[in-house]
Amino acid sequence: MNNPTSRHMMDKPYIKDVIRELTLLGYEDDEATKILIKYYRPLKRSWGFGPNAHNFAKEIDLIHKAVIKKFDPSEPGQIFIGHLKNRIKSNLKDKP
């Protein structure tokens, strides 16, 4: 199977509700599914299934926006980590 998640996960009511909440937050259906697949596992490990679908979707949205946000040196709350990304990439290439 080429899909990183099995199809039965996408058929669960909780997952369907999270996707629906992501679409209400402004994502297209396909984009909402991709974002959910990308952040589902780490978020589930830290939060579990405690929050309702709306709160889970809001947290996924918050994480996604933080990941795609570009560095703005005029904003005091941001820290530049671009040099670390390049360092990690070079370390991965060096490993056998």
Side-chain angles (χ1 to χ4, degrees):
M1 196 184 261
N2 293 337
N3 194 352
T5 62
S6 59
R7 292 306 308 167
H8 69 353
M9 180 192 115
M10 301 308 282
D11 293 332
K12 292 183 180 180
Y14 183 78
I15 300 301
K16 287 181 179 182
D17 287 343
V18 172
I19 292 173
R20 183 179 50 80
E21 290 294 331
L22 285 170
T23 58
L24 292 175
L25 289 172
Y27 295 99
E28 297 292 325
D29 285 335
D30 292 341
E31 185 183 12
T33 303
K34 288 178 185 177
I35 291 170
L36 175 66
I37 290 170
K38 184 175 183 179
Y39 301 114
Y40 173 75
R41 216 174 248 182
L43 197 56
K44 185 187 88 162
R45 286 180 182 158
S46 61
W47 271 31
F49 287 115
N52 60 25
H54 177 71
N55 291 338
F56 199 81
K58 284 190 341 187
E59 191 67 23
I60 288 174
D61 180 47
L62 181 71
I63 290 171
H64 180 66
K65 286 179 179 175
V67 167
I68 64 171
K69 188 174 184 179
K70 299 291 182 191
F71 176 67
D72 181 14
S74 65
E75 190 173 327
Q78 287 189 349
I79 300 171
F80 180 70
I81 60 166
H83 61 287
L84 297 176
K85 288 182 182 179
N86 293 333
R87 191 170 162 190
I88 290 170
K89 288 179 186 176
S90 67
N91 284 343
L92 292 176
K93 289 180 185 177
D94 293 341
K95 290 186 178 185

